[in-house]
């Protein structure tokens, strides 16, 4: 072995691996077209803006500035290549393309949101059903006294709120119970028609039952001025409300019922508001037939409710409660 430990070739140079011939570069293959992805953040902002009809209110709902909402919408419009909104002094409105696009994607967005909320709620602890009503007297007379039975039967906690205001797009509830509001395209349940009945304490009954209606000391709820007129007309007494003796007026039926229980006078009311007091003998019906009122009670299930099955169970339950309070 020579001084160098590196093997030598015949020309006394180092042995190296043969060099592979240089390959000519392969011709570039055409790449299939890859569409630009849909700007999903902008899509969500668009859907909310179409629901609210205002960039400002959309920004308040989503935690964005008004200009931020506008930029998102502009991004989506640029991607689609056509305007979605008309912007002008008269306010914000959808173009024909915007209306068609909104009608197409809003259900898909609602499905994504609902499915996500349902998945999240599986690990969020006990089920809580948010019930809202525009009828505080119904809440006090019918819902609250019976809620424990529903909660025990269905293993769900009910949180009840009352509001006379029209629900807004971001209001969080599952069921709306109402007589005078409408939730648009939401799932709707007919709960009951009113039966109107004249009631008083047993002592007041004995005192006034043989007296013409015109002589009764009547209590009225100012929230329902229509009830007394409907009842008087259908009784055929020939007495318009101007010929009746109004003893006292109250803002809501739950206050008028408390006055009737105290013996302050005779009250004409929807039967289910006084059903429990009649059953307990605290109030009694005056000797006139019940009449059918014009009030129609409805329940709506919020389209974005995360608990549609408990919501439907609640609607079935309240319908049965109201039916039980109107025998015959």
């Amino acid at each position: 072995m020579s001084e160098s430990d590196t093997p030598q070739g015949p020309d006394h140079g180092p042995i190296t691996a043969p060099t592979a011939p240089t390959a000519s570069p392969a011709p570039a293959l055409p790449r299939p077209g890859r569409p630009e992805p849909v700007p999903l953040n902008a899509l969500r902002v668009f859907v909310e803006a179409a629901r609210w009809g205002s960039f400002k209110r959309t920004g308040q709902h989503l935690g964005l500035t008004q200009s931020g909402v506008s930029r998102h919408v502009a991004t989506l419009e640029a991607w689609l290549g056509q305007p979605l909104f008309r912007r002008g002094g008269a306010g914000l409105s959808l173009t024909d393309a915007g209306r068609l696009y909104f009608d197409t994607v809003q259900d898909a967005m609602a499905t994504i949101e609902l499915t996500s909320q349902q998945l999240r709620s599986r690990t969020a602890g006990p089920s809580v059903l948010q019930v809202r009503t525009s009828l505080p007297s119904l809440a006090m007379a019918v819902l609250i006294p019976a809620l424990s039975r529903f909660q025990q039967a269905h293993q769900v906690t009910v949180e009840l709120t009352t509001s006379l205001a029209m629900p807004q797009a971001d209001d969080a509830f599952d069921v709306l119970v109402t007589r005078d509001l409408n939730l648009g395209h939401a799932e709707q349940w007919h709960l009951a028609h009113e039966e109107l009945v004249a009631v008083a304490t047993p002592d007041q009954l004995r005192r006034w039952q043989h007296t013409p209606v015109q002589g009764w000391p009547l209590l009225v709820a100012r929230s329902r001025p229509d009830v007394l007129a409907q009842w008087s007309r259908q009784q055929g007494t020939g007495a318009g409300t101007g010929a009746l003796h109004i003893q006292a007026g109250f803002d809501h039926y739950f206050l008028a019922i408390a006055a009737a229980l105290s013996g302050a006078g005779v009250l004409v009311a929807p039967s289910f508001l006084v059903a429990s007091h009649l059953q307990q003998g605290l109030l009694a019906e005056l000797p006139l037939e019940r009449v059918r009122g014009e009030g129609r009670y409805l329940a709506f299930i919020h389209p974005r409710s995360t608990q549609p099955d408990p919501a439907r169970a609640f609607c079935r339950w309240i319908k049965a409660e109201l039916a039980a309070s109107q025998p015959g």
Side-chain angles (χ1 to χ4, degrees):
M1 185 72 85
S2 63
E3 293 182 1
S4 170
D5 291 331
T6 302
Q8 303 289 314
D11 58 356
H12 303 288
I15 297 175
T16 60
T19 303
T22 303
S24 58
L29 296 175
R31 298 181 63 185
R34 298 182 62 186
E36 185 180 351
V38 179
L40 295 178
N41 287 338
L43 176 59
R44 178 170 182 256
V45 173
F46 161 73
V47 169
E48 294 298 331
R51 286 171 178 166
W52 284 101
S54 164
F55 284 178
K56 181 178 180 181
R57 295 181 69 187
T58 300
Q60 292 170 345
H61 175 61
L62 296 177
L64 298 172
T65 63
Q66 183 173 340
S67 60
V69 172
S70 181
R71 284 194 298 272
H72 276 294
V73 171
T75 297
L76 184 60
E77 289 177 324
W79 191 89
L80 293 170
Q82 54 189 307
L84 299 173
F85 288 101
R86 297 185 186 92
R87 303 161 176 82
L92 188 69
S93 63
L94 288 165
T95 63
D96 290 342
R99 170 58 58 188
L100 177 63
Y101 192 55
F102 175 64
D103 289 343
T104 302
V105 302
Q106 67 168 329
D107 289 342
M109 291 295 292
T111 299
I112 292 170
E113 292 171 353
L114 176 59
T115 304
S116 302
Q117 291 286 358
Q118 287 175 330
L119 184 62
R120 183 172 182 261
S121 67
R122 292 177 185 174
T123 57
S127 178
V128 177
L129 191 69
Q130 303 282 348
V131 176
R132 172 171 169 162
T133 181
S134 62
L135 309 169
S137 294
L138 179 73
M140 294 187 69
V142 179
L143 299 183
I144 293 174
L147 273 182
S148 60
R149 296 198 300 272
F150 174 80
Q151 293 179 147
Q152 292 171 6
H154 296 275
Q155 298 298 304
V156 59
T157 298
V158 176
E159 292 187 356
L160 181 65
T161 59
T162 62
S163 174
L164 303 181
M166 184 66 191
Q168 299 300 311
D170 61 342
D171 288 350
F173 63 90
D174 298 292
V175 180
L176 172 68
V177 179
T178 186
R179 187 191 64 252
D180 47 2
L181 302 179
N182 192 311
L183 209 57
H185 300 296
E187 180 179 334
Q188 175 180 306
W189 287 65
H190 169 70
L191 301 179
H193 278 285
E194 285 180 332
E195 283 186 348
L196 305 180
V197 58
V199 299
T201 62
D203 287 344
Q204 289 283 339
L205 171 65
R206 287 188 288 270
R207 182 176 178 182
W208 300 108
Q209 62 182 333
H210 300 300
T211 302
V213 172
Q214 294 89 331
W216 292 358
L218 290 164
L219 309 173
V220 297
R222 286 187 286 267
S223 60
R224 292 294 309 279
D226 57 310
V227 166
L228 186 58
Q230 293 173 31
W231 178 84
S232 176
R233 182 174 64 252
Q234 294 190 54
Q235 287 293 351
T237 62
T241 55
L244 301 177
H245 172 52
I246 307 300
Q247 178 79 4
F250 302 88
D251 286 343
H252 296 285
Y253 259 116
F254 61 83
L255 299 175
I257 291 170
L261 288 167
S262 74
V266 178
L267 177 66
V268 175
S271 60
F272 44 73
L273 297 184
V274 294
S276 63
H277 303 303
L278 291 172
Q279 292 168 3
Q280 297 170 44
L282 301 174
L283 293 175
E285 291 189 44
L286 277 86
L288 288 174
E289 290 186 2
R290 296 183 177 194
V291 301
R292 181 164 174 154
E294 297 174 4
R296 182 168 176 260
Y297 291 74
L298 304 170
F300 296 93
I301 297 177
H302 198 299
R304 299 167 75 176
S305 169
T306 61
Q307 303 189 82
D309 290 336
R312 293 185 183 105
F314 183 86
C315 292
R316 283 191 292 270
W317 168 77
I318 186 175
K319 184 170 184 173
E321 290 288 324
L322 293 177
S325 69
Q326 301 185 131

